[in-house]
Amino acid sequence: MIFEKSSGWLDWYQDPSKPLFQLPAGSVDAHCHVFGPGAQFPYAPERKYTPCDASKQQLFALRNHLGFARNIVVQATCHGADNRAMIDALVHSDGRARGVATLKRAVTDEELHAMHEAGVRGVRFNFVKRLVDFTPKDELMEIAGRIAPLGWHVVVYFEAADLHELVDFFTALPTTVVVDHMGRPDVTKPVDGPEFEMFVRFMREYPNVWSKVTCPERLSVSGPAALNGERHAYRDVVPFARRIVEAFPDRVLWGTDWPHPNLKSHMPDDGLLVDFIPRIATTSDLQRRLLVDNPMRLYWPEET
Ligand code: 0GY
Protein backbone atom coordinates (compact mmCIF):
# COMPACT_ATOMS: atom_id res chain seq x y z
CA MET A 1 0.00 0.00 0.00
CA ILE A 2 1.39 3.41 -0.89
CA PHE A 3 0.08 6.41 1.00
CA GLU A 4 -0.49 9.44 -1.13
CA LYS A 5 2.18 11.93 -0.13
CA SER A 6 1.01 15.51 0.27
CA SER A 7 3.34 18.48 0.34
CA GLY A 8 5.09 19.49 3.53
CA TRP A 9 5.47 16.07 5.17
CA LEU A 10 8.69 14.91 6.56
CA ASP A 11 9.40 11.36 5.63
CA TRP A 12 7.52 8.92 7.81
CA TYR A 13 7.45 5.48 6.25
CA GLN A 14 5.21 5.83 3.20
CA ASP A 15 4.96 2.24 2.08
CA PRO A 16 4.60 -0.06 5.10
CA SER A 17 4.90 -3.74 4.31
CA LYS A 18 2.14 -6.22 5.00
CA PRO A 19 3.00 -8.01 8.27
CA LEU A 20 3.50 -11.75 8.19
CA PHE A 21 1.97 -11.97 11.66
CA GLN A 22 -1.81 -12.05 11.50
CA LEU A 23 -3.19 -9.98 14.35
CA PRO A 24 -5.96 -11.58 16.44
CA ALA A 25 -9.44 -10.36 15.57
CA GLY A 26 -10.27 -7.16 17.42
CA SER A 27 -6.65 -6.06 18.00
CA VAL A 28 -6.07 -2.54 19.32
CA ASP A 29 -3.16 -0.29 18.31
CA ALA A 30 -2.89 1.23 21.80
CA HIS A 31 -0.30 3.94 21.12
CA CYS A 32 -0.45 6.16 18.06
CA HIS A 33 -0.85 9.85 17.30
CA VAL A 34 -2.37 12.27 14.82
CA PHE A 35 -0.53 15.46 13.89
CA GLY A 36 -2.61 18.34 12.63
CA PRO A 37 -3.05 18.84 9.80
CA GLY A 38 -1.35 22.00 10.98
CA ALA A 39 -3.51 24.27 8.82
CA GLN A 40 -6.61 22.99 10.62
CA PHE A 41 -5.20 22.17 14.06
CA PRO A 42 -2.15 24.40 14.68
CA TYR A 43 0.82 23.06 16.60
CA ALA A 44 1.40 24.44 20.09
CA PRO A 45 3.63 27.52 20.38
CA GLU A 46 5.53 25.85 23.27
CA ARG A 47 6.28 22.65 21.25
CA LYS A 48 9.81 21.23 21.20
CA TYR A 49 9.54 19.83 17.66
CA THR A 50 7.39 20.41 14.61
CA PRO A 51 6.17 17.16 13.11
CA CYS A 52 5.02 16.23 9.66
CA ASP A 53 1.25 16.38 9.30
CA ALA A 54 -0.23 12.93 9.91
CA SER A 55 -3.98 12.90 9.55
CA LYS A 56 -6.76 10.75 10.96
CA GLN A 57 -7.49 9.41 7.46
CA GLN A 58 -3.89 8.23 7.16
CA LEU A 59 -4.04 6.67 10.63
CA PHE A 60 -7.24 4.79 9.78
CA ALA A 61 -5.73 3.61 6.46
CA LEU A 62 -2.72 2.24 8.34
CA ARG A 63 -5.03 0.55 10.88
CA ASN A 64 -6.79 -1.28 8.07
CA HIS A 65 -3.58 -2.12 6.21
CA LEU A 66 -1.96 -3.71 9.27
CA GLY A 67 -5.13 -5.49 10.41
CA PHE A 68 -5.97 -3.61 13.59
CA ALA A 69 -9.60 -3.06 14.58
CA ARG A 70 -9.18 -0.02 16.82
CA ASN A 71 -6.80 2.77 17.84
CA ILE A 72 -5.85 4.60 21.00
CA VAL A 73 -4.84 8.09 19.93
CA VAL A 74 -2.41 9.61 22.43
CA GLN A 75 -2.06 13.39 22.61
CA ALA A 76 1.46 14.29 21.48
CA THR A 77 3.48 17.11 23.01
CA CYS A 78 3.61 19.09 19.75
CA HIS A 79 -0.10 19.85 20.25
CA GLY A 80 0.38 20.86 23.91
CA ALA A 81 -2.91 20.80 25.84
CA ASP A 82 -4.96 21.62 22.73
CA ASN A 83 -6.64 18.25 22.23
CA ARG A 84 -8.73 19.17 19.18
CA ALA A 85 -6.84 17.13 16.57
CA MET A 86 -6.92 14.01 18.77
CA ILE A 87 -10.62 14.47 19.60
CA ASP A 88 -11.45 15.10 15.93
CA ALA A 89 -9.90 11.71 15.16
CA LEU A 90 -11.98 10.00 17.86
CA VAL A 91 -15.29 11.46 16.73
CA HIS A 92 -14.64 10.49 13.10
CA SER A 93 -13.61 6.91 13.92
CA ASP A 94 -17.07 5.29 14.00
CA GLY A 95 -16.40 4.39 17.61
CA ARG A 96 -13.18 2.59 16.73
CA ALA A 97 -10.81 5.01 18.49
CA ARG A 98 -10.46 6.24 22.03
CA GLY A 99 -7.97 8.76 23.32
CA VAL A 100 -5.56 10.02 25.93
CA ALA A 101 -5.49 13.80 26.50
CA THR A 102 -3.11 16.37 27.93
CA LEU A 103 -4.81 18.66 30.46
CA LYS A 104 -4.11 21.78 32.41
CA ARG A 105 -5.66 22.41 35.82
CA ALA A 106 -7.90 25.12 34.27
CA VAL A 107 -9.93 22.45 32.45
CA THR A 108 -13.61 22.69 33.41
CA ASP A 109 -15.91 19.82 34.38
CA GLU A 110 -17.98 20.54 31.27
CA GLU A 111 -14.88 20.14 29.10
CA LEU A 112 -13.97 16.89 30.86
CA HIS A 113 -17.44 15.49 30.29
CA ALA A 114 -17.39 16.53 26.63
CA MET A 115 -14.02 14.77 26.23
CA HIS A 116 -15.41 11.66 27.89
CA GLU A 117 -18.36 11.74 25.51
CA ALA A 118 -15.92 11.96 22.57
CA GLY A 119 -14.02 8.89 23.80
CA VAL A 120 -11.16 10.19 25.95
CA ARG A 121 -10.30 7.69 28.68
CA GLY A 122 -6.94 8.85 30.00
CA VAL A 123 -4.61 11.75 30.63
CA ARG A 124 -0.87 11.78 29.84
CA PHE A 125 1.78 13.16 32.18
CA ASN A 126 5.08 13.61 30.35
CA PHE A 127 8.34 13.89 32.29
CA VAL A 128 10.74 13.64 29.34
CA LYS A 129 12.67 16.89 29.57
CA ARG A 130 13.50 17.15 25.87
CA LEU A 131 9.73 17.10 25.11
CA VAL A 132 8.04 19.29 27.72
CA ASP A 133 8.54 22.07 30.22
CA PHE A 134 8.15 21.18 33.89
CA THR A 135 4.64 20.97 35.36
CA PRO A 136 4.42 20.98 39.18
CA LYS A 137 3.43 17.62 40.63
CA ASP A 138 0.66 19.17 42.71
CA GLU A 139 -1.03 20.33 39.49
CA LEU A 140 -0.73 16.83 38.02
CA MET A 141 -2.08 15.25 41.21
CA GLU A 142 -5.03 17.64 41.16
CA ILE A 143 -5.79 16.67 37.54
CA ALA A 144 -5.52 12.97 38.42
CA GLY A 145 -8.02 13.49 41.24
CA ARG A 146 -10.46 15.10 38.81
CA ILE A 147 -10.27 12.41 36.11
CA ALA A 148 -10.35 9.43 38.50
CA PRO A 149 -14.15 9.62 39.05
CA LEU A 150 -14.61 9.37 35.26
CA GLY A 151 -12.86 6.00 35.31
CA TRP A 152 -9.90 7.35 33.33
CA HIS A 153 -6.28 6.34 33.87
CA VAL A 154 -2.94 8.20 33.81
CA VAL A 155 -0.32 7.48 31.14
CA VAL A 156 3.22 8.41 32.19
CA TYR A 157 6.27 8.94 30.01
CA PHE A 158 9.73 9.22 31.57
CA GLU A 159 13.37 8.20 31.13
CA ALA A 160 14.61 5.11 33.00
CA ALA A 161 17.10 7.15 35.04
CA ASP A 162 14.25 9.25 36.49
CA LEU A 163 12.10 6.38 37.80
CA HIS A 164 13.54 6.39 41.31
CA GLU A 165 12.68 10.07 41.70
CA LEU A 166 9.12 9.63 40.34
CA VAL A 167 8.05 6.40 42.06
CA ASP A 168 6.44 8.06 45.08
CA PHE A 169 4.39 10.32 42.84
CA PHE A 170 3.29 7.45 40.57
CA THR A 171 2.25 5.24 43.45
CA ALA A 172 0.21 8.04 45.03
CA LEU A 173 -1.90 8.44 41.87
CA PRO A 174 -5.52 7.38 42.43
CA THR A 175 -5.90 5.59 39.08
CA THR A 176 -4.42 2.87 36.94
CA VAL A 177 -1.00 4.08 35.75
CA VAL A 178 0.20 3.09 32.27
CA VAL A 179 3.92 3.48 31.56
CA ASP A 180 4.96 4.38 28.02
CA HIS A 181 7.59 2.20 26.33
CA MET A 182 8.59 0.18 29.45
CA GLY A 183 10.05 3.31 31.03
CA ARG A 184 12.61 3.59 28.20
CA PRO A 185 15.21 1.01 29.31
CA ASP A 186 18.80 1.23 28.12
CA VAL A 187 18.83 -2.03 26.15
CA THR A 188 22.63 -2.16 26.09
CA LYS A 189 22.43 -3.00 29.79
CA PRO A 190 21.52 -6.51 30.99
CA VAL A 191 17.83 -7.37 31.07
CA ASP A 192 18.35 -8.69 34.62
CA GLY A 193 20.60 -5.77 35.65
CA PRO A 194 19.72 -3.28 38.40
CA GLU A 195 18.12 -0.64 36.16
CA PHE A 196 15.50 -2.85 34.48
CA GLU A 197 15.12 -4.87 37.69
CA MET A 198 13.92 -1.67 39.35
CA PHE A 199 11.23 -1.27 36.70
CA VAL A 200 10.13 -4.91 37.04
CA ARG A 201 9.98 -4.53 40.83
CA PHE A 202 7.92 -1.36 40.42
CA MET A 203 5.36 -3.28 38.35
CA ARG A 204 5.44 -6.27 40.69
CA GLU A 205 4.86 -4.20 43.82
CA TYR A 206 2.14 -1.99 42.36
CA PRO A 207 -0.62 -3.99 40.68
CA ASN A 208 -2.25 -0.84 39.30
CA VAL A 209 0.82 -0.18 37.10
CA TRP A 210 0.63 -1.30 33.45
CA SER A 211 3.24 -0.99 30.70
CA LYS A 212 3.20 -0.45 26.96
CA VAL A 213 5.75 -2.84 25.47
CA THR A 214 6.15 -0.40 22.62
CA CYS A 215 8.75 1.48 20.62
CA PRO A 216 11.51 -1.04 19.87
CA GLU A 217 12.49 1.41 17.13
CA ARG A 218 13.17 4.10 19.76
CA LEU A 219 14.97 1.85 22.22
CA SER A 220 16.99 -0.33 19.89
CA VAL A 221 20.69 0.08 19.30
CA SER A 222 20.95 -2.91 16.94
CA GLY A 223 18.30 -1.22 14.78
CA PRO A 224 15.94 -2.37 12.06
CA ALA A 225 18.39 -4.52 10.11
CA ALA A 226 16.79 -7.87 9.40
CA LEU A 227 18.74 -10.91 10.56
CA ASN A 228 19.46 -13.59 7.94
CA GLY A 229 16.93 -12.01 5.64
CA GLU A 230 14.15 -12.63 8.16
CA ARG A 231 11.90 -9.99 9.65
CA HIS A 232 13.78 -9.98 12.96
CA ALA A 233 14.41 -6.27 13.49
CA TYR A 234 15.15 -4.61 16.84
CA ARG A 235 16.41 -7.86 18.37
CA ASP A 236 18.11 -6.17 21.34
CA VAL A 237 14.71 -4.99 22.64
CA VAL A 238 13.09 -8.44 22.52
CA PRO A 239 14.33 -9.75 25.92
CA PHE A 240 13.09 -6.61 27.71
CA ALA A 241 9.62 -6.61 26.20
CA ARG A 242 9.29 -10.37 26.48
CA ARG A 243 10.17 -10.28 30.15
CA ILE A 244 7.41 -7.75 30.86
CA VAL A 245 4.81 -9.58 28.74
CA GLU A 246 5.51 -12.89 30.50
CA ALA A 247 5.66 -11.44 34.01
CA PHE A 248 2.57 -9.23 33.67
CA PRO A 249 0.42 -10.68 30.88
CA ASP A 250 -2.72 -8.88 32.05
CA ARG A 251 -1.11 -5.44 32.34
CA VAL A 252 0.57 -4.90 28.98
CA LEU A 253 -0.45 -3.00 25.85
CA TRP A 254 1.07 -2.72 22.38
CA GLY A 255 0.99 0.06 19.79
CA THR A 256 2.74 1.20 16.64
CA ASP A 257 3.61 4.75 17.83
CA TRP A 258 2.76 5.88 14.28
CA PRO A 259 3.79 8.37 12.88
CA HIS A 260 6.90 8.00 15.06
CA PRO A 261 7.59 11.56 16.15
CA ASN A 262 11.12 12.74 16.64
CA LEU A 263 12.99 9.73 15.31
CA LYS A 264 16.35 10.79 14.00
CA SER A 265 18.04 7.53 12.97
CA HIS A 266 15.40 5.90 10.75
CA MET A 267 11.68 5.70 10.15
CA PRO A 268 10.34 2.24 10.93
CA ASP A 269 8.31 0.08 8.59
CA ASP A 270 5.08 -0.42 10.56
CA GLY A 271 4.63 -3.87 9.01
CA LEU A 272 7.98 -4.88 10.48
CA LEU A 273 6.90 -3.49 13.84
CA VAL A 274 3.83 -5.75 13.84
CA ASP A 275 6.11 -8.71 13.13
CA PHE A 276 7.94 -7.83 16.35
CA ILE A 277 4.84 -8.86 18.35
CA PRO A 278 5.07 -12.69 18.16
CA ARG A 279 8.70 -12.46 19.30
CA ILE A 280 7.69 -10.78 22.58
CA ALA A 281 4.30 -12.48 23.06
CA THR A 282 5.11 -16.00 22.01
CA THR A 283 1.80 -17.81 22.46
CA SER A 284 -1.64 -17.09 21.06
CA ASP A 285 -2.90 -16.65 24.62
CA LEU A 286 -0.32 -13.94 25.40
CA GLN A 287 -0.99 -12.28 22.04
CA ARG A 288 -4.75 -12.14 22.65
CA ARG A 289 -4.28 -10.62 26.10
CA LEU A 290 -1.75 -8.04 24.84
CA LEU A 291 -3.66 -6.97 21.75
CA VAL A 292 -7.33 -7.51 22.59
CA ASP A 293 -8.27 -8.34 26.19
CA ASN A 294 -6.11 -5.78 28.01
CA PRO A 295 -6.80 -2.72 25.82
CA MET A 296 -10.49 -3.57 25.69
CA ARG A 297 -10.63 -3.79 29.50
CA LEU A 298 -8.92 -0.40 29.82
CA TYR A 299 -10.58 1.53 26.99
CA TRP A 300 -13.89 -0.19 26.22
CA PRO A 301 -14.79 -1.79 29.59
CA GLU A 302 -18.49 -1.62 28.73
CA GLU A 303 -17.90 -4.19 25.95
CA THR A 304 -16.01 -6.71 28.09
C1 0GY B 1 6.13 8.89 21.62
C2 0GY B 1 7.47 9.36 21.87
C3 0GY B 1 7.97 10.61 21.75
C4 0GY B 1 7.19 11.79 21.56
C5 0GY B 1 6.01 12.02 22.17
O1 0GY B 1 4.21 13.33 22.69
C6 0GY B 1 5.28 13.29 22.11
O2 0GY B 1 5.77 14.25 21.50
O3 0GY B 1 5.43 11.10 22.88
C7 0GY B 1 9.43 10.79 21.87
O4 0GY B 1 9.96 11.78 21.31
O5 0GY B 1 10.08 9.95 22.52
O6 0GY B 1 5.62 8.08 22.39
O7 0GY B 1 5.51 9.30 20.66
Side-chain angles (χ1 to χ4, degrees):
M1 174 190 66
I2 309 259
F3 286 115
E4 196 183 329
K5 187 166 178 164
S6 56
S7 63
W9 288 358
L10 297 179
D11 256 345
W12 47 265
Y13 205 90
Q14 300 295 314
D15 187 17
S17 61
K18 201 82 179 158
L20 296 181
F21 175 58
Q22 194 177 352
L23 291 161
S27 288
V28 181
D29 176 352
H31 186 91
C32 50
H33 310 285
V34 287
F35 295 147
Q40 188 182 2
F41 302 111
Y43 298 110
E46 73 274 20
R47 68 188 179 279
K48 306 289 185 204
Y49 65 92
T50 300
C52 53
D53 283 347
S55 70
K56 58 182 181 285
Q57 291 89 348
Q58 290 161 333
L59 175 65
F60 300 153
L62 181 76
R63 175 197 67 199
N64 296 342
H65 173 74
L66 297 176
F68 285 99
R70 307 183 195 219
N71 296 107
I72 304 305
V73 186
V74 177
Q75 176 75 358
T77 56
C78 55
H79 276 297
D82 177 351
N83 295 285
R84 283 176 299 166
M86 181 271 290
I87 287 172
D88 176 69
L90 305 191
V91 300
H92 288 96
S93 72
D94 293 327
R96 297 173 68 183
R98 286 202 160 156
V100 175
T102 296
L103 301 178
K104 296 222 182 279
R105 63 163 32 122
V107 68
T108 66
D109 286 341
E110 290 70 31
E111 285 166 337
L112 285 179
H113 283 107
M115 282 188 224
H116 189 86
E117 200 56 34
V120 175
R121 292 294 181 272
V123 62
R124 192 181 196 206
F125 296 163
N126 197 322
F127 300 90
V128 178
K129 296 177 186 80
R130 68 182 160 79
L131 289 173
V132 284
D133 297 324
F134 175 77
T135 304
K137 292 205 183 81
D138 67 324
E139 174 167 352
L140 299 177
M141 195 55 84
E142 182 182 316
I143 291 167
R146 298 206 27 226
I147 57 104
L150 294 166
W152 296 11
H153 59 275
V154 174
V155 172
V156 293
Y157 192 24
F158 59 91
E159 302 281 2
D162 296 330
L163 176 58
H164 70 281
E165 186 261 309
L166 291 164
V167 160
D168 289 348
F169 173 73
F170 292 161
T171 56
L173 288 167
T175 63
T176 294
V177 176
V178 180
V179 176
D180 275 343
H181 321 331
M182 299 181 283
R184 293 189 62 98
D186 177 346
V187 300
T188 64
K189 294 184 177 163
V191 67
D192 54 358
E195 186 182 276
F196 200 57
E197 205 55 57
M198 182 176 178
F199 182 68
V200 172
R201 208 170 49 242
F202 171 53
M203 286 198 70
R204 192 178 299 126
E205 286 174 12
Y206 298 99
N208 66 324
V209 175
W210 294 37
S211 180
K212 294 180 196 166
V213 285
T214 32
C215 281
E217 76 284 6
R218 264 177 215 291
L219 304 174
S220 181
V221 176
S222 62
L227 193 63
N228 302 327
E230 293 179 24
R231 293 167 67 85
H232 282 186
Y234 312 119
R235 59 187 175 278
D236 50 353
V237 187
V238 170
F240 292 81
R242 189 169 167 181
R243 183 163 181 210
I244 298 297
V245 168
E246 291 178 357
F248 311 105
D250 295 319
R251 293 190 265 145
V252 283
L253 301 170
W254 195 88
T256 55
D257 192 34
W258 185 90
H260 313 288
N262 256 334
L263 279 183
K264 307 278 187 314
S265 57
H266 73 288
M267 273 293 151
D269 168 2
D270 296 282
L272 209 56
L273 284 176
V274 169
D275 282 341
F276 183 76
I277 298 172
R279 297 160 61 213
I280 63 167
T282 54
T283 67
S284 54
D285 177 59
L286 288 172
Q287 291 160 8
R288 196 199 63 250
R289 293 202 237 180
L290 173 67
L291 295 161
V292 185
D293 298 354
N294 299 344
M296 288 302 291
R297 209 162 74 249
L298 197 60
Y299 289 99
W300 282 273
E302 69 281 9
E303 291 187 33
T304 59

